[in-house]
Amino acid sequence: MAVVSYEIKSGVGIIRLNNPPVNALSQVLREGIQNAVVAAQGDESQVLLIVCEGRTFVAGADITEFGKPAKAPSLPSILDSIENSVKPVIAAIHGTALGGGFEIALAAHYRCALASAKVGLPEVKLGIIPGAGGTQRTPRIIGVDAALDMITSGNPVAAAKAHSMGLVDHIINGDLLEGAMSYAERLIADNAPCKRVSDMTIDPATATDALFDSWRKKMAKKSRGQLAPQKIIDAVQIAVTSSVPEGMVKERELFTECVQSTQSSAMRHIFFAERAAAKVNDLAKDTVDRTISKVGILGGGTMGGGIAMNFANVGIPVVMIEINDDALARGLDIVRKNYSITVSKGKLSEEQMKDCLSLISGSTNYDDLGDVDLVIEAVFEDLDVKKEVFAKLDKACKQGAILATNTSYQDVDKIAAATTRPDDVIGMHFFSPANVMKLLEVVRGEKTAGDVISTTMKLAKKINKIPVLSGVCYGFIGNRMLRCSVRENQLCMMEGASPEQVDAVMQGWGMAMGPLAVGDLAGLDVSYKARQALTEEQKGDPKSYCIVDAMVEMGRLGQKSGAGYYRYDPDTRARSSDPEVMAVIERLSAEHAIERREISDDEILNRITCAWINEGAYILQEGIAQRSSDIDVVYVNGYGFPIYRGGPMHYADTIGVKKVYDMICEFQRQHGDVWKPSALLEQLAAENKTFSQWSDEQT
Ligand code: 3HC
Ligand code: NAI
């Protein structure tokens, strides 16, 4: 079928778009729309109907074209043809009308949508602003405040709400084409005019400077460091005093500035990286997935409850197993409280909460796992405990059930060896809080079967997680790299930095939180306990963990004990510096004969980021991660890495792999062989290649 086809039925000129998978506005589609609209001006049709084949209305500009030379016709010129059509143009929306797709609909004179459809302007999530009138037309329909909310959040709006806001004129229940045709015929019968959004104006009283200023402040806080949200506000402000054609010229300038920024390039990288991460390179094409209709969760502690919620949220029943009635009651109570908080925030109705809770049952008997298709173990982080638990699961679970562990560090192969079916065993490493965090590291053991990997990766998407495949190693992708950066933040403190300086540098650079504040939040005892299970050699240089150990041994476990690297107000949890911590650090420096010196912010930043990159390169060279962009997905979605820097490996590609290699060699000269550069890094630096180019060459 042609990308754009045209036919006239009952006076309606139907322009059908067909550009799978999501009808992105590639050059050929743009040209097809343009030609169809222009040609239809002189034919016998009375109204024009733009409708899409496949799973969705146009989902936006073709993101792969960004950063490449523009090809005519431009989207704004197509929208001109649509809006200036002499006969009414109707957009018939199903699926998601997003970005440029919704801008087409806004240029049309009427919009009808299936009740299940959504509309939105998600450009901000790609580090750009709507570039084809979205910032100019939206505020004319829904007002400045609502438009800023919609465009700066990038969140889609469901059809019913869009209808109530005036963004959609008519809701269709039932078949899209039938509904759209009868709407079109009604408009013909009513002799409906071409209703142009450009003819609408914005009441200046609803668009004061104070309103724009408060949005600028709000976004500076919410989207710290990001360019696009501020440019969106500028563009919407332009709409107040400009005509749509004038405003669109200025909007386009701001759009181009954003598209060309390193921020947008990083965010587009993450968009494609998240989709690539779900793909497993070496699975047989004929792999048949297992069916997952019921799930068991072992352990209802910090992680178990949150994990259970993910499944209940998508209608999959869960049974939670605990060691005794008290522990089970505690576990189920955490789940209930979490749901209540979501209800109190207005993100879930009471009814939905009841439905979810009705899907979660509890037991203290492993026999109740007999009918589950997947069990996820989230008991204490202790290899012996886990081995014992998996031996029991082997007996309790039916053949064909997937046996998963949520371990953070333990060897999945050793856990699998405790069963008679290691091919059914896999790691599912959720992040805390498990009902909120999007990342899921899926850890393939040496013997994990292909269908188990495939099923788990797809299931992750079903429960709204972003899966990344990892091989087995200590800490998998994320925590293995984290260990290296923690080593450096500790050493920087030993050599002269304060916790405040380290945190200010990293947060100022864009991390969601400074690394030491994160340590306090997670609990310093977690890594302390993990270290107890390691040999002295595995632990590494004592200088790299003596500060955190000292904190724990003083009872400073972090926020939960009211003090860690910082002190916390018991009521407000407000953080303050604590001179006692600096005294401990200085004492430890002296004990290790380290002469403290002034450490520059740049040194802290480079040591922490290079530690990630070098370890990431080892992870790639060992085949633990499938591609460099997977590592970026892990860091952006699991470790608070600023999305607008695209993840550690993309960051290395951006600043130059050779430059990173040189810094690492210098660190090796200064600090020894913990900084030995990976062979892959050395090779890429010599060949002047990026991690991304290397990853592309591997597939
Ligand atoms: N351009 C190019 N490719 C796109 C694309 C786009 N706008 N949107 C999706 N794709 C690709 C994906 O990369 C993926 O490719 P793959 O199969 O090779 O991995 C494929 O289409 C399917 O995408 P998903 O896996 O994401 O499919 P889902 O069904 O889960 O989601 C969707 C569909 C909700 C449309 C989601 O793809 C999405 O959010 N897309 C991006 C929408 C967007 O950001 N639009 C704005 C673009 S910028 C713009 O329009 C500027 C304008 O103002 C000028
Ligand atoms: P937790 O200590 O909060 O909860 C563990 C729960 O398991 C307890 O409620 C305990 O009663 C229960 N339990 C112990 N043995 C059991 C058994 N044999 N059968 C049934 N239940 C049993 O621990 P948490 O933090 O939830 O961690 C669980 C696992 O998840 C660990 O492997 C941990 O490494 C991993 N993890 C933890 C993260 C975190 O941030 N807490 C993040 C990611 C993974």
Side-chain angles (χ1 to χ4, degrees):
M1 192 178 170
V3 173
V4 177
S5 60
Y6 182 71
E7 65 172 327
I8 302 176
K9 260 191 189 168
S10 316
V12 182
I14 307 171
I15 301 173
R16 271 203 186 81
L17 317 187
N18 180 36
N19 188 24
V22 297
N23 289 306
L25 285 160
S26 57
Q27 192 273 338
V28 44
L29 184 61
R30 294 197 302 275
E31 191 169 59
I33 301 172
Q34 177 86 313
N35 292 343
V37 173
V38 171
Q41 298 303 308
D43 67 22
E44 70 276 20
S45 63
Q46 291 168 275
V47 298
L48 301 179
L49 179 69
I50 300 177
V51 64
C52 289
E53 297 290 331
R55 67 199 212 219
T56 180
F57 191 78
V58 175
D62 185 336
I63 306 167
T64 59
E65 288 184 0
F66 290 166
K68 297 182 186 153
K71 284 195 201 142
S74 73
L75 186 54
S77 71
I78 297 168
L79 303 196
D80 271 356
S81 311
I82 293 175
E83 195 171 48
N84 295 324
S85 161
V86 293
K87 22 188 127 169
V89 181
I90 307 160
I93 300 168
H94 76 293
T96 42
L98 299 177
F102 187 47
E103 288 171 310
I104 287 189
L106 289 173
H109 308 119
Y110 297 92
R111 289 162 290 282
C112 58
L114 277 187
S116 56
K118 287 181 181 166
V119 301
L121 294 165
E123 285 87 343
V124 71
K125 297 184 181 177
L126 298 168
I128 56 176
I129 77 167
T135 63
Q136 305 301 300
R137 291 192 172 91
T138 315
R140 284 176 156 79
I141 304 175
I142 62 176
V144 165
D145 200 41
L148 284 173
D149 188 36
M150 182 171 173
I151 311 174
T152 57
S153 74
N155 293 334
V157 179
K161 186 163 179 219
H163 185 230
S164 71
M165 294 166 90
L167 291 169
V168 164
D169 302 294
H170 174 71
I171 296 285
I172 298 170
N173 291 298
D175 183 74
L176 174 72
L177 192 58
E178 261 174 42
M181 283 299 285
S182 63
Y183 181 55
E185 283 161 17
R186 207 173 81 205
L187 291 176
I188 294 174
D190 292 350
N191 206 11
C194 293
K195 222 174 62 178
R196 296 185 175 92
V197 176
S198 296
D199 293 339
M200 300 169 79
T201 50
I202 299 169
D203 176 1
T206 63
T208 58
D209 286 352
L211 178 72
F212 285 104
D213 284 349
S214 80
W215 269 98
R216 284 194 177 92
K217 283 198 192 104
K218 184 170 155 186
M219 293 318 293
K221 202 166 163 211
K222 194 172 160 221
S223 306
R224 191 164 42 90
Q226 289 193 34
L227 180 72
Q230 297 296 330
K231 299 288 174 193
I232 286 169
I233 300 169
D234 293 349
V236 172
Q237 192 159 20
I238 287 165
V240 181
T241 49
S242 308
S243 67
V244 167
E246 283 164 5
M248 278 182 68
V249 172
K250 293 185 183 146
E251 177 196 63
R252 199 70 187 173
E253 284 167 15
L254 296 171
F255 167 82
T256 307
E257 190 185 331
C258 289
V259 168
Q260 290 170 351
S261 68
T262 52
Q263 292 199 355
S264 172
S265 149
M267 289 165 88
R268 280 161 11 224
H269 163 75
I270 290 296
F271 176 86
F272 289 114
E274 286 179 356
R275 280 147 185 91
K279 291 169 189 147
V280 182
N281 287 338
D282 60 353
L283 278 187
K285 287 241 168 352
D286 56 355
T287 306
V288 178
D289 289 343
R290 300 188 189 181
T291 305
I292 307 294
S293 330
K294 187 173 179 190
V295 174
I297 308 285
L298 213 59
T302 308
M303 295 303 288
I307 296 173
M309 290 170 74
N310 289 305
F311 292 95
N313 291 348
V314 296
I316 300 178
V318 180
V319 54
M320 180 192 282
I321 307 285
E322 258 292 353
I323 35 178
N324 57 42
D325 289 337
D326 281 353
L328 180 61
R330 255 196 322 272
L332 292 173
D333 205 41
I334 295 175
V335 172
R336 228 170 277 127
K337 279 197 185 118
N338 278 345
Y339 274 124
S340 300
I341 293 170
T342 319
V343 170
S344 68
K345 286 184 183 161
K347 291 184 180 165
L348 197 75
S349 69
E350 287 276 349
E351 199 62 32
Q352 286 167 318
M353 174 171 84
K354 276 192 200 138
D355 289 346
C356 290
L357 285 171
S358 72
L359 288 170
I360 303 178
S361 59
S363 167
T364 53
N365 188 346
Y366 276 56
D367 291 346
D368 288 326
L369 293 173
D371 62 346
V372 302
D373 305 298
L374 161 71
V375 59
I376 302 171
E377 165 277 311
V379 307
F380 304 130
E381 182 70 357
D382 179 303
L383 184 59
D384 291 333
V385 173
K386 291 199 190 283
K387 279 172 149 174
E388 192 185 312
V389 160
F390 269 74
K392 280 198 202 163
L393 288 178
D394 194 14
K395 295 206 174 71
C397 294
K398 67 183 181 191
Q399 284 306 310
I402 296 177
L403 312 181
T405 170
N406 180 45
T407 181
S408 308
Y409 289 99
Q410 303 302 332
D411 186 330
V412 173
D413 291 328
K414 287 190 181 147
I415 295 173
T419 71
T420 57
R421 36 176 147 164
D423 46 334
D424 288 340
V425 177
I426 195 162
M428 287 178 82
H429 183 215
F430 289 83
F431 286 71
S432 179
N435 54 319
V436 177
M437 295 292 284
K438 298 286 276 178
L439 180 65
L440 179 70
E441 278 184 324
V442 174
V443 186
R444 71 189 295 175
E446 200 190 331
K447 297 199 172 141
T448 310
D451 62 342
V452 171
I453 297 171
S454 171
T455 306
T456 309
M457 297 295 280
K458 300 238 183 64
L459 183 66
K461 199 166 174 198
K462 185 161 182 194
I463 59 170
N464 297 312
K465 298 290 171 200
I466 299 169
V468 174
L469 193 64
S470 171
V472 175
C473 62
Y474 189 75
F476 317 125
I477 297 173
N479 283 344
R480 173 169 162 180
M481 287 166 65
L482 182 71
R483 266 192 99 204
C484 300
S485 63
V486 169
R487 177 194 77 214
E488 288 309 310
N489 72 43
Q490 297 288 309
L491 289 172
C492 283
M493 289 194 290
M494 289 292 280
E495 290 166 36
S498 65
E500 290 78 4
Q501 187 191 2
V502 173
D503 277 354
V505 169
M506 295 316 292
Q507 197 172 348
W509 183 73
M511 296 299 289
M513 282 172 88
L516 303 163
V518 170
D520 275 357
L521 181 67
L524 302 182
D525 52 327
V526 177
S527 67
Y528 184 86
K529 277 191 207 135
R531 238 181 333 272
Q532 305 312 304
L534 299 180
T535 62
E536 291 307 310
E537 196 194 343
Q538 285 168 329
K539 282 187 197 168
D541 183 350
K543 291 198 282 297
S544 65
Y545 57 82
C546 61
I547 298 175
V548 58
D549 276 8
M551 294 293 129
V552 174
E553 283 156 15
M554 290 164 75
R556 303 182 72 112
L557 308 184
Q559 285 198 17
K560 61 184 163 191
S561 67
Y565 294 113
Y566 300 95
R567 190 155 279 289
Y568 295 89
D569 184 286
D571 299 321
T572 62
R573 285 208 211 151
R575 186 170 86 195
S576 56
S577 300
D578 188 344
E580 201 183 335
V581 173
M582 240 7 255
V584 172
I585 295 174
E586 282 166 5
R587 174 177 56 78
L588 288 168
S589 299
E591 277 175 25
H592 285 85
I594 295 172
E595 197 173 320
R596 293 180 68 77
R597 63 188 167 93
E598 196 162 306
I599 296 203
S600 72
D601 290 354
D602 276 355
E603 179 177 343
I604 293 174
L605 176 66
N606 291 336
R607 282 172 69 172
I608 291 181
T609 51
C610 286
W612 283 323
I613 296 164
N614 198 29
E615 199 63 19
Y618 276 108
I619 283 172
L620 281 175
Q621 137 192 337
E622 291 166 22
I624 296 292
Q626 295 192 97
R627 43 187 96 78
S628 63
S629 60
D630 284 7
I631 297 176
D632 293 331
V633 172
V634 167
Y635 260 71
V636 166
N637 290 291
Y639 293 84
F641 194 99
I643 185 167
Y644 62 84
R645 294 193 192 274
M649 310 319 276
H650 180 83
Y651 177 66
D653 286 351
T654 309
I655 62 171
V657 171
K658 171 80 169 71
K659 184 175 165 192
V660 171
Y661 173 72
D662 289 344
M663 280 196 277
I664 289 175
C665 291
E666 182 55 32
F667 291 145
Q668 186 185 19
R669 270 190 290 280
Q670 289 172 12
H671 305 287
D673 273 350
V674 284
W675 277 107
K676 187 176 181 329
S678 91
L680 175 62
L681 185 69
E682 191 171 358
Q683 175 198 329
L684 297 186
E687 292 172 359
N688 199 18
K689 265 195 193 146
T690 62
F691 284 108
S692 154
Q693 282 167 336
W694 178 81
S695 290
D696 289 347
E697 283 167 13
Q698 306 306 302
T699 46

